[in-house]
Amino acid sequence: MSTVAELSPYLVLILVGFLPNEVWRALGLVLARGLNEDSEIVVWSRAVATAIIAGVLAKLILFSSGALATIPLSVRVGAAVAGFLAYLVIKRSVFAGVIVGELFLLAGGYLFAP
Amino acid sequence: MAPVPSFDTSAAAFFGGVKASLKTVFIMVLAGTYVGIGALAHDFGLSSWWLALSTILVWAAPAQVIVISAIGVGAALIEVAIAVTLSAVRLFPMVVALLPLVKREGMRTRDLLLITHFTSVSMWVESLRILPSLPREHRMAYSNGLSVGYMGTAVLFGFAGFYLAAGLPPLFAGTLLFLTPLSFLISTANNARAMVDRLALVLGLTIGPALAYWHVELDLLWTGVGGGTLAYLVHRLREAVT
């Protein structure tokens, strides 16, 4: 089976980066013709997109890789919860939630370094 | 958040979009995310121009991370392509939800190519929030302005991360990597005003990791279709009852 190492990085970028990613945008363009923003398929599509994003985010937090994996799981989950609670409490400010979550992660990562 | 602006011309709407993009929370997220991706690209021996081109062509951080690390470990082409395409399924419903907001009478498919390519989580969340309150003739220009602001920032900070790569300590690198899930989680929740969207968010958060934990194949696809459809059915049921 051919691997990415055998081809130029630019060819790899087009073949397995650009094309398999762009195909979904193109599909959306083709299938979106004649739909209006309140149609049921749009409501459903938005729910599917939201669920996929949520799944990706939860996986990034729970099954981290690289440098994030050096921070304990409990600290990562705690930071996400702390950030979300801060968002709810501090006037629904996304920015405040992100700052609080990040500070929690930094402090927790420092205190509970493995 | 700033109040909704109004514009005289399309050009003014475009630059209004660029300006607005620089004031959203996503700009810091993009900067942080692309500093991290820049560092990754440097580690795996790619050039900074390759990274810039990948940001412009792929314009989706998860897919870019997959391709960069795949080149690093020399993975099989078909495996990388499947992983990238699974990470990109979310783009399809986003385009389907976005285009009806910007389309006008007499527009051809090619008029929608650019905004379709620009579709990403950050511009989508902002566009869905702002566009309904703008006159239809300025929506596309405004949204393209948002995207140019976001993409320009991403390219710039990709370069910055690439050249800073030399030595971030793991704790700080981890904090940078955490920016993406944290900020997208909170802003998705902030954007989910309708019950169906909130339910889809909660279902995705629980079903996604559960399927991944049990090593279910195509877990992301099932999370989206299963969780999204379930949320939609509950919404329909509630509408039918009331």
PDB file of all heavy atoms in Angstrom, chain B residues 79-114:
ATOM      1  N   GLU B  79      -5.664   5.601   4.308  1.00  0.00           N
ATOM      2  CA  GLU B  79      -6.029   5.778   5.722  1.00  0.00           C
ATOM      3  C   GLU B  79      -6.138   7.266   6.072  1.00  0.00           C
ATOM      4  O   GLU B  79      -7.081   7.692   6.745  1.00  0.00           O
ATOM      5  CB  GLU B  79      -4.967   5.099   6.592  1.00  0.00           C
ATOM      6  CG  GLU B  79      -5.292   5.066   8.068  1.00  0.00           C
ATOM      7  CD  GLU B  79      -4.086   4.644   8.893  1.00  0.00           C
ATOM      8  OE1 GLU B  79      -3.129   4.070   8.325  1.00  0.00           O
ATOM      9  OE2 GLU B  79      -4.092   4.908  10.106  1.00  0.00           O
ATOM     10  N   VAL B  80      -5.178   8.047   5.594  1.00  0.00           N
ATOM     11  CA  VAL B  80      -5.196   9.484   5.866  1.00  0.00           C
ATOM     12  C   VAL B  80      -6.411  10.133   5.202  1.00  0.00           C
ATOM     13  O   VAL B  80      -7.103  10.957   5.803  1.00  0.00           O
ATOM     14  CB  VAL B  80      -3.909  10.167   5.341  1.00  0.00           C
ATOM     15  CG1 VAL B  80      -3.873  11.620   5.789  1.00  0.00           C
ATOM     16  CG2 VAL B  80      -2.675   9.431   5.837  1.00  0.00           C
ATOM     17  N   ALA B  81      -6.682   9.727   3.957  1.00  0.00           N
ATOM     18  CA  ALA B  81      -7.809  10.312   3.230  1.00  0.00           C
ATOM     19  C   ALA B  81      -9.126  10.051   3.964  1.00  0.00           C
ATOM     20  O   ALA B  81      -9.974  10.946   4.078  1.00  0.00           O
ATOM     21  CB  ALA B  81      -7.867   9.756   1.810  1.00  0.00           C
ATOM     22  N   ILE B  82      -9.301   8.830   4.476  1.00  0.00           N
ATOM     23  CA  ILE B  82     -10.537   8.502   5.206  1.00  0.00           C
ATOM     24  C   ILE B  82     -10.634   9.319   6.496  1.00  0.00           C
ATOM     25  O   ILE B  82     -11.684   9.873   6.818  1.00  0.00           O
ATOM     26  CB  ILE B  82     -10.608   6.988   5.506  1.00  0.00           C
ATOM     27  CG1 ILE B  82     -10.829   6.221   4.188  1.00  0.00           C
ATOM     28  CG2 ILE B  82     -11.734   6.680   6.488  1.00  0.00           C
ATOM     29  CD1 ILE B  82     -10.814   4.718   4.336  1.00  0.00           C
ATOM     30  N   ALA B  83      -9.519   9.425   7.227  1.00  0.00           N
ATOM     31  CA  ALA B  83      -9.530  10.197   8.474  1.00  0.00           C
ATOM     32  C   ALA B  83      -9.890  11.655   8.197  1.00  0.00           C
ATOM     33  O   ALA B  83     -10.698  12.256   8.905  1.00  0.00           O
ATOM     34  CB  ALA B  83      -8.177  10.107   9.172  1.00  0.00           C
ATOM     35  N   VAL B  84      -9.289  12.218   7.142  1.00  0.00           N
ATOM     36  CA  VAL B  84      -9.560  13.616   6.809  1.00  0.00           C
ATOM     37  C   VAL B  84     -11.023  13.799   6.414  1.00  0.00           C
ATOM     38  O   VAL B  84     -11.704  14.725   6.865  1.00  0.00           O
ATOM     39  CB  VAL B  84      -8.633  14.102   5.669  1.00  0.00           C
ATOM     40  CG1 VAL B  84      -9.133  15.420   5.080  1.00  0.00           C
ATOM     41  CG2 VAL B  84      -7.215  14.269   6.189  1.00  0.00           C
ATOM     42  N   THR B  85     -11.525  12.890   5.591  1.00  0.00           N
ATOM     43  CA  THR B  85     -12.896  13.053   5.117  1.00  0.00           C
ATOM     44  C   THR B  85     -13.897  12.888   6.276  1.00  0.00           C
ATOM     45  O   THR B  85     -14.911  13.584   6.342  1.00  0.00           O
ATOM     46  CB  THR B  85     -13.187  12.110   3.925  1.00  0.00           C
ATOM     47  OG1 THR B  85     -14.072  12.775   3.037  1.00  0.00           O
ATOM     48  CG2 THR B  85     -13.786  10.796   4.339  1.00  0.00           C
ATOM     49  N   LEU B  86     -13.573  12.022   7.245  1.00  0.00           N
ATOM     50  CA  LEU B  86     -14.449  11.893   8.418  1.00  0.00           C
ATOM     51  C   LEU B  86     -14.422  13.156   9.267  1.00  0.00           C
ATOM     52  O   LEU B  86     -15.446  13.577   9.808  1.00  0.00           O
ATOM     53  CB  LEU B  86     -14.018  10.690   9.265  1.00  0.00           C
ATOM     54  CG  LEU B  86     -14.462   9.334   8.725  1.00  0.00           C
ATOM     55  CD1 LEU B  86     -13.904   8.217   9.593  1.00  0.00           C
ATOM     56  CD2 LEU B  86     -15.968   9.247   8.674  1.00  0.00           C
ATOM     57  N   SER B  87     -13.237  13.747   9.363  1.00  0.00           N
ATOM     58  CA  SER B  87     -13.137  14.972  10.168  1.00  0.00           C
ATOM     59  C   SER B  87     -13.865  16.129   9.492  1.00  0.00           C
ATOM     60  O   SER B  87     -14.153  17.139  10.117  1.00  0.00           O
ATOM     61  CB  SER B  87     -11.674  15.343  10.396  1.00  0.00           C
ATOM     62  OG  SER B  87     -11.140  15.996   9.261  1.00  0.00           O
ATOM     63  N   ALA B  88     -14.157  15.980   8.192  1.00  0.00           N
ATOM     64  CA  ALA B  88     -14.718  17.089   7.419  1.00  0.00           C
ATOM     65  C   ALA B  88     -16.221  16.973   7.174  1.00  0.00           C
ATOM     66  O   ALA B  88     -16.814  17.876   6.599  1.00  0.00           O
ATOM     67  CB  ALA B  88     -13.984  17.210   6.086  1.00  0.00           C
ATOM     68  N   VAL B  89     -16.829  15.858   7.633  1.00  0.00           N
ATOM     69  CA  VAL B  89     -18.263  15.671   7.382  1.00  0.00           C
ATOM     70  C   VAL B  89     -19.064  16.866   7.885  1.00  0.00           C
ATOM     71  O   VAL B  89     -20.021  17.307   7.256  1.00  0.00           O
ATOM     72  CB  VAL B  89     -18.783  14.380   8.056  1.00  0.00           C
ATOM     73  CG1 VAL B  89     -20.279  14.226   7.830  1.00  0.00           C
ATOM     74  CG2 VAL B  89     -18.048  13.170   7.525  1.00  0.00           C
ATOM     75  N   ARG B  90     -18.639  17.435   9.001  1.00  0.00           N
ATOM     76  CA  ARG B  90     -19.332  18.585   9.588  1.00  0.00           C
ATOM     77  C   ARG B  90     -19.491  19.738   8.607  1.00  0.00           C
ATOM     78  O   ARG B  90     -20.395  20.555   8.754  1.00  0.00           O
ATOM     79  CB  ARG B  90     -18.576  19.069  10.829  1.00  0.00           C
ATOM     80  CG  ARG B  90     -17.206  19.601  10.525  1.00  0.00           C
ATOM     81  CD  ARG B  90     -16.425  19.973  11.783  1.00  0.00           C
ATOM     82  NE  ARG B  90     -14.995  19.795  11.655  1.00  0.00           N
ATOM     83  CZ  ARG B  90     -14.169  20.451  10.872  1.00  0.00           C
ATOM     84  NH1 ARG B  90     -14.606  21.346  10.128  1.00  0.00           N
ATOM     85  NH2 ARG B  90     -12.888  20.215  10.822  1.00  0.00           N
ATOM     86  N   LEU B  91     -18.579  19.841   7.603  1.00  0.00           N
ATOM     87  CA  LEU B  91     -18.647  20.962   6.669  1.00  0.00           C
ATOM     88  C   LEU B  91     -19.897  20.904   5.803  1.00  0.00           C
ATOM     89  O   LEU B  91     -20.429  21.929   5.393  1.00  0.00           O
ATOM     90  CB  LEU B  91     -17.394  20.985   5.773  1.00  0.00           C
ATOM     91  CG  LEU B  91     -16.074  21.208   6.503  1.00  0.00           C
ATOM     92  CD1 LEU B  91     -14.912  21.001   5.543  1.00  0.00           C
ATOM     93  CD2 LEU B  91     -16.015  22.600   7.117  1.00  0.00           C
ATOM     94  N   PHE B  92     -20.371  19.694   5.525  1.00  0.00           N
ATOM     95  CA  PHE B  92     -21.514  19.524   4.638  1.00  0.00           C
ATOM     96  C   PHE B  92     -22.788  20.190   5.187  1.00  0.00           C
ATOM     97  O   PHE B  92     -23.350  21.075   4.541  1.00  0.00           O
ATOM     98  CB  PHE B  92     -21.712  18.039   4.324  1.00  0.00           C
ATOM     99  CG  PHE B  92     -23.033  17.706   3.715  1.00  0.00           C
ATOM    100  CD1 PHE B  92     -23.346  18.143   2.439  1.00  0.00           C
ATOM    101  CD2 PHE B  92     -23.974  16.972   4.418  1.00  0.00           C
ATOM    102  CE1 PHE B  92     -24.576  17.849   1.882  1.00  0.00           C
ATOM    103  CE2 PHE B  92     -25.200  16.677   3.870  1.00  0.00           C
ATOM    104  CZ  PHE B  92     -25.506  17.113   2.594  1.00  0.00           C
ATOM    105  N   PRO B  93     -23.230  19.806   6.396  1.00  0.00           N
ATOM    106  CA  PRO B  93     -24.432  20.494   6.905  1.00  0.00           C
ATOM    107  C   PRO B  93     -24.220  21.981   7.139  1.00  0.00           C
ATOM    108  O   PRO B  93     -25.171  22.758   7.074  1.00  0.00           O
ATOM    109  CB  PRO B  93     -24.740  19.757   8.212  1.00  0.00           C
ATOM    110  CG  PRO B  93     -23.514  19.012   8.564  1.00  0.00           C
ATOM    111  CD  PRO B  93     -22.777  18.735   7.295  1.00  0.00           C
ATOM    112  N   MET B  94     -22.964  22.381   7.403  1.00  0.00           N
ATOM    113  CA  MET B  94     -22.718  23.816   7.590  1.00  0.00           C
ATOM    114  C   MET B  94     -22.985  24.576   6.305  1.00  0.00           C
ATOM    115  O   MET B  94     -23.618  25.633   6.318  1.00  0.00           O
ATOM    116  CB  MET B  94     -21.269  24.050   8.014  1.00  0.00           C
ATOM    117  CG  MET B  94     -21.010  23.763   9.458  1.00  0.00           C
ATOM    118  SD  MET B  94     -19.355  24.332   9.834  1.00  0.00           S
ATOM    119  CE  MET B  94     -18.900  23.080  10.957  1.00  0.00           C
ATOM    120  N   VAL B  95     -22.483  24.031   5.180  1.00  0.00           N
ATOM    121  CA  VAL B  95     -22.713  24.683   3.892  1.00  0.00           C
ATOM    122  C   VAL B  95     -24.208  24.701   3.584  1.00  0.00           C
ATOM    123  O   VAL B  95     -24.754  25.727   3.150  1.00  0.00           O
ATOM    124  CB  VAL B  95     -21.924  23.968   2.769  1.00  0.00           C
ATOM    125  CG1 VAL B  95     -22.327  24.506   1.396  1.00  0.00           C
ATOM    126  CG2 VAL B  95     -20.429  24.125   2.976  1.00  0.00           C
ATOM    127  N   VAL B  96     -24.872  23.574   3.847  1.00  0.00           N
ATOM    128  CA  VAL B  96     -26.314  23.488   3.572  1.00  0.00           C
ATOM    129  C   VAL B  96     -27.087  24.525   4.396  1.00  0.00           C
ATOM    130  O   VAL B  96     -28.050  25.117   3.924  1.00  0.00           O
ATOM    131  CB  VAL B  96     -26.840  22.061   3.864  1.00  0.00           C
ATOM    132  CG1 VAL B  96     -28.360  22.014   3.764  1.00  0.00           C
ATOM    133  CG2 VAL B  96     -26.228  21.064   2.891  1.00  0.00           C
ATOM    134  N   ALA B  97     -26.654  24.767   5.622  1.00  0.00           N
ATOM    135  CA  ALA B  97     -27.353  25.730   6.479  1.00  0.00           C
ATOM    136  C   ALA B  97     -26.989  27.173   6.126  1.00  0.00           C
ATOM    137  O   ALA B  97     -27.790  28.085   6.297  1.00  0.00           O
ATOM    138  CB  ALA B  97     -27.034  25.454   7.948  1.00  0.00           C
ATOM    139  N   LEU B  98     -25.771  27.367   5.621  1.00  0.00           N
ATOM    140  CA  LEU B  98     -25.289  28.734   5.359  1.00  0.00           C
ATOM    141  C   LEU B  98     -25.812  29.316   4.046  1.00  0.00           C
ATOM    142  O   LEU B  98     -26.265  30.465   3.995  1.00  0.00           O
ATOM    143  CB  LEU B  98     -23.755  28.743   5.362  1.00  0.00           C
ATOM    144  CG  LEU B  98     -23.113  30.091   4.999  1.00  0.00           C
ATOM    145  CD1 LEU B  98     -23.311  31.097   6.121  1.00  0.00           C
ATOM    146  CD2 LEU B  98     -21.632  29.922   4.692  1.00  0.00           C
ATOM    147  N   LEU B  99     -25.737  28.527   2.971  1.00  0.00           N
ATOM    148  CA  LEU B  99     -26.021  29.076   1.638  1.00  0.00           C
ATOM    149  C   LEU B  99     -27.408  29.707   1.492  1.00  0.00           C
ATOM    150  O   LEU B  99     -27.524  30.761   0.859  1.00  0.00           O
ATOM    151  CB  LEU B  99     -25.783  28.010   0.558  1.00  0.00           C
ATOM    152  CG  LEU B  99     -24.315  27.606   0.371  1.00  0.00           C
ATOM    153  CD1 LEU B  99     -24.166  26.679  -0.833  1.00  0.00           C
ATOM    154  CD2 LEU B  99     -23.399  28.812   0.221  1.00  0.00           C
ATOM    155  N   PRO B 100     -28.462  29.093   2.063  1.00  0.00           N
ATOM    156  CA  PRO B 100     -29.780  29.737   1.913  1.00  0.00           C
ATOM    157  C   PRO B 100     -29.824  31.143   2.509  1.00  0.00           C
ATOM    158  O   PRO B 100     -30.643  31.966   2.105  1.00  0.00           O
ATOM    159  CB  PRO B 100     -30.725  28.794   2.679  1.00  0.00           C
ATOM    160  CG  PRO B 100     -30.017  27.490   2.705  1.00  0.00           C
ATOM    161  CD  PRO B 100     -28.552  27.806   2.763  1.00  0.00           C
ATOM    162  N   LEU B 101     -28.922  31.434   3.454  1.00  0.00           N
ATOM    163  CA  LEU B 101     -28.893  32.766   4.073  1.00  0.00           C
ATOM    164  C   LEU B 101     -28.335  33.824   3.131  1.00  0.00           C
ATOM    165  O   LEU B 101     -28.650  35.004   3.253  1.00  0.00           O
ATOM    166  CB  LEU B 101     -28.023  32.734   5.337  1.00  0.00           C
ATOM    167  CG  LEU B 101     -28.637  32.187   6.620  1.00  0.00           C
ATOM    168  CD1 LEU B 101     -27.575  32.068   7.684  1.00  0.00           C
ATOM    169  CD2 LEU B 101     -29.752  33.104   7.080  1.00  0.00           C
ATOM    170  N   VAL B 102     -27.437  33.410   2.207  1.00  0.00           N
ATOM    171  CA  VAL B 102     -26.757  34.403   1.365  1.00  0.00           C
ATOM    172  C   VAL B 102     -27.266  34.403  -0.072  1.00  0.00           C
ATOM    173  O   VAL B 102     -26.997  35.319  -0.824  1.00  0.00           O
ATOM    174  CB  VAL B 102     -25.224  34.184   1.341  1.00  0.00           C
ATOM    175  CG1 VAL B 102     -24.650  34.317   2.735  1.00  0.00           C
ATOM    176  CG2 VAL B 102     -24.865  32.831   0.747  1.00  0.00           C
ATOM    177  N   LYS B 103     -28.002  33.348  -0.446  1.00  0.00           N
ATOM    178  CA  LYS B 103     -28.427  33.231  -1.844  1.00  0.00           C
ATOM    179  C   LYS B 103     -29.454  34.291  -2.211  1.00  0.00           C
ATOM    180  O   LYS B 103     -30.308  34.648  -1.421  1.00  0.00           O
ATOM    181  CB  LYS B 103     -29.015  31.837  -2.090  1.00  0.00           C
ATOM    182  CG  LYS B 103     -28.134  31.025  -3.036  1.00  0.00           C
ATOM    183  CD  LYS B 103     -28.830  29.809  -3.538  1.00  0.00           C
ATOM    184  CE  LYS B 103     -28.736  28.687  -2.540  1.00  0.00           C
ATOM    185  NZ  LYS B 103     -29.278  27.439  -3.062  1.00  0.00           N
ATOM    186  N   ARG B 104     -29.322  34.786  -3.463  1.00  0.00           N
ATOM    187  CA  ARG B 104     -30.295  35.718  -3.997  1.00  0.00           C
ATOM    188  C   ARG B 104     -30.774  35.239  -5.355  1.00  0.00           C
ATOM    189  O   ARG B 104     -30.147  34.392  -5.980  1.00  0.00           O
ATOM    190  CB  ARG B 104     -29.669  37.105  -4.150  1.00  0.00           C
ATOM    191  CG  ARG B 104     -29.616  37.894  -2.865  1.00  0.00           C
ATOM    192  CD  ARG B 104     -28.826  39.164  -3.071  1.00  0.00           C
ATOM    193  NE  ARG B 104     -27.458  38.857  -3.473  1.00  0.00           N
ATOM    194  CZ  ARG B 104     -26.630  39.721  -4.046  1.00  0.00           C
ATOM    195  NH1 ARG B 104     -27.030  40.929  -4.312  1.00  0.00           N
ATOM    196  NH2 ARG B 104     -25.402  39.375  -4.357  1.00  0.00           N
ATOM    197  N   GLU B 105     -31.874  35.838  -5.829  1.00  0.00           N
ATOM    198  CA  GLU B 105     -32.419  35.528  -7.154  1.00  0.00           C
ATOM    199  C   GLU B 105     -31.329  35.632  -8.214  1.00  0.00           C
ATOM    200  O   GLU B 105     -30.545  36.577  -8.204  1.00  0.00           O
ATOM    201  CB  GLU B 105     -33.531  36.535  -7.507  1.00  0.00           C
ATOM    202  CG  GLU B 105     -34.838  36.325  -6.756  1.00  0.00           C
ATOM    203  CD  GLU B 105     -35.602  35.122  -7.271  1.00  0.00           C
ATOM    204  OE1 GLU B 105     -35.703  34.960  -8.489  1.00  0.00           O
ATOM    205  OE2 GLU B 105     -36.074  34.336  -6.422  1.00  0.00           O
ATOM    206  N   GLY B 106     -31.268  34.673  -9.123  1.00  0.00           N
ATOM    207  CA  GLY B 106     -30.365  34.763 -10.266  1.00  0.00           C
ATOM    208  C   GLY B 106     -28.919  34.416  -9.979  1.00  0.00           C
ATOM    209  O   GLY B 106     -28.060  34.545 -10.845  1.00  0.00           O
ATOM    210  N   MET B 107     -28.600  34.000  -8.746  1.00  0.00           N
ATOM    211  CA  MET B 107     -27.222  33.608  -8.441  1.00  0.00           C
ATOM    212  C   MET B 107     -26.918  32.246  -9.036  1.00  0.00           C
ATOM    213  O   MET B 107     -27.723  31.330  -8.957  1.00  0.00           O
ATOM    214  CB  MET B 107     -27.025  33.552  -6.932  1.00  0.00           C
ATOM    215  CG  MET B 107     -26.330  34.757  -6.376  1.00  0.00           C
ATOM    216  SD  MET B 107     -25.879  34.466  -4.663  1.00  0.00           S
ATOM    217  CE  MET B 107     -25.289  36.102  -4.247  1.00  0.00           C
ATOM    218  N   ARG B 108     -25.712  32.132  -9.638  1.00  0.00           N
ATOM    219  CA  ARG B 108     -25.315  30.842 -10.184  1.00  0.00           C
ATOM    220  C   ARG B 108     -24.413  30.116  -9.190  1.00  0.00           C
ATOM    221  O   ARG B 108     -23.904  30.725  -8.253  1.00  0.00           O
ATOM    222  CB  ARG B 108     -24.567  31.045 -11.506  1.00  0.00           C
ATOM    223  CG  ARG B 108     -25.490  31.482 -12.639  1.00  0.00           C
ATOM    224  CD  ARG B 108     -24.714  32.205 -13.698  1.00  0.00           C
ATOM    225  NE  ARG B 108     -24.046  33.382 -13.134  1.00  0.00           N
ATOM    226  CZ  ARG B 108     -23.357  34.247 -13.866  1.00  0.00           C
ATOM    227  NH1 ARG B 108     -23.213  34.074 -15.146  1.00  0.00           N
ATOM    228  NH2 ARG B 108     -22.783  35.289 -13.283  1.00  0.00           N
ATOM    229  N   THR B 109     -24.206  28.821  -9.459  1.00  0.00           N
ATOM    230  CA  THR B 109     -23.385  28.020  -8.552  1.00  0.00           C
ATOM    231  C   THR B 109     -22.001  28.629  -8.383  1.00  0.00           C
ATOM    232  O   THR B 109     -21.459  28.672  -7.287  1.00  0.00           O
ATOM    233  CB  THR B 109     -23.263  26.578  -9.080  1.00  0.00           C
ATOM    234  OG1 THR B 109     -24.576  26.041  -9.194  1.00  0.00           O
ATOM    235  CG2 THR B 109     -22.459  25.715  -8.130  1.00  0.00           C
ATOM    236  N   ARG B 110     -21.427  29.133  -9.506  1.00  0.00           N
ATOM    237  CA  ARG B 110     -20.056  29.636  -9.386  1.00  0.00           C
ATOM    238  C   ARG B 110     -19.961  30.885  -8.509  1.00  0.00           C
ATOM    239  O   ARG B 110     -18.911  31.179  -7.955  1.00  0.00           O
ATOM    240  CB  ARG B 110     -19.440  29.857 -10.768  1.00  0.00           C
ATOM    241  CG  ARG B 110     -20.018  31.011 -11.562  1.00  0.00           C
ATOM    242  CD  ARG B 110     -19.010  31.430 -12.641  1.00  0.00           C
ATOM    243  NE  ARG B 110     -19.550  32.526 -13.434  1.00  0.00           N
ATOM    244  CZ  ARG B 110     -19.942  32.395 -14.702  1.00  0.00           C
ATOM    245  NH1 ARG B 110     -19.835  31.236 -15.310  1.00  0.00           N
ATOM    246  NH2 ARG B 110     -20.400  33.439 -15.361  1.00  0.00           N
ATOM    247  N   ASP B 111     -21.053  31.615  -8.364  1.00  0.00           N
ATOM    248  CA  ASP B 111     -21.047  32.768  -7.465  1.00  0.00           C
ATOM    249  C   ASP B 111     -20.921  32.348  -6.002  1.00  0.00           C
ATOM    250  O   ASP B 111     -20.581  33.157  -5.147  1.00  0.00           O
ATOM    251  CB  ASP B 111     -22.339  33.590  -7.631  1.00  0.00           C
ATOM    252  CG  ASP B 111     -22.508  34.107  -9.053  1.00  0.00           C
ATOM    253  OD1 ASP B 111     -21.485  34.491  -9.657  1.00  0.00           O
ATOM    254  OD2 ASP B 111     -23.648  34.099  -9.555  1.00  0.00           O
ATOM    255  N   LEU B 112     -21.240  31.074  -5.747  1.00  0.00           N
ATOM    256  CA  LEU B 112     -21.224  30.585  -4.366  1.00  0.00           C
ATOM    257  C   LEU B 112     -19.974  29.781  -4.031  1.00  0.00           C
ATOM    258  O   LEU B 112     -19.794  29.322  -2.910  1.00  0.00           O
ATOM    259  CB  LEU B 112     -22.470  29.717  -4.110  1.00  0.00           C
ATOM    260  CG  LEU B 112     -23.812  30.434  -4.223  1.00  0.00           C
ATOM    261  CD1 LEU B 112     -24.946  29.429  -4.324  1.00  0.00           C
ATOM    262  CD2 LEU B 112     -24.019  31.363  -3.036  1.00  0.00           C
ATOM    263  N   LEU B 113     -19.073  29.625  -5.047  1.00  0.00           N
ATOM    264  CA  LEU B 113     -17.885  28.777  -4.834  1.00  0.00           C
ATOM    265  C   LEU B 113     -17.000  29.303  -3.705  1.00  0.00           C
ATOM    266  O   LEU B 113     -16.544  28.530  -2.861  1.00  0.00           O
ATOM    267  CB  LEU B 113     -17.063  28.681  -6.130  1.00  0.00           C
ATOM    268  CG  LEU B 113     -17.583  27.697  -7.180  1.00  0.00           C
ATOM    269  CD1 LEU B 113     -16.691  27.731  -8.425  1.00  0.00           C
ATOM    270  CD2 LEU B 113     -17.629  26.278  -6.607  1.00  0.00           C
ATOM    271  N   LEU B 114     -16.741  30.605  -3.697  1.00  0.00           N
ATOM    272  CA  LEU B 114     -15.802  31.160  -2.726  1.00  0.00           C
ATOM    273  C   LEU B 114     -16.334  31.015  -1.299  1.00  0.00           C
ATOM    274  O   LEU B 114     -15.644  30.521  -0.406  1.00  0.00           O
ATOM    275  CB  LEU B 114     -15.519  32.634  -3.045  1.00  0.00           C
ATOM    276  CG  LEU B 114     -14.410  33.266  -2.202  1.00  0.00           C
ATOM    277  CD1 LEU B 114     -13.072  32.577  -2.463  1.00  0.00           C
ATOM    278  CD2 LEU B 114     -14.295  34.767  -2.488  1.00  0.00           C
TER     279      LEU B 114
END
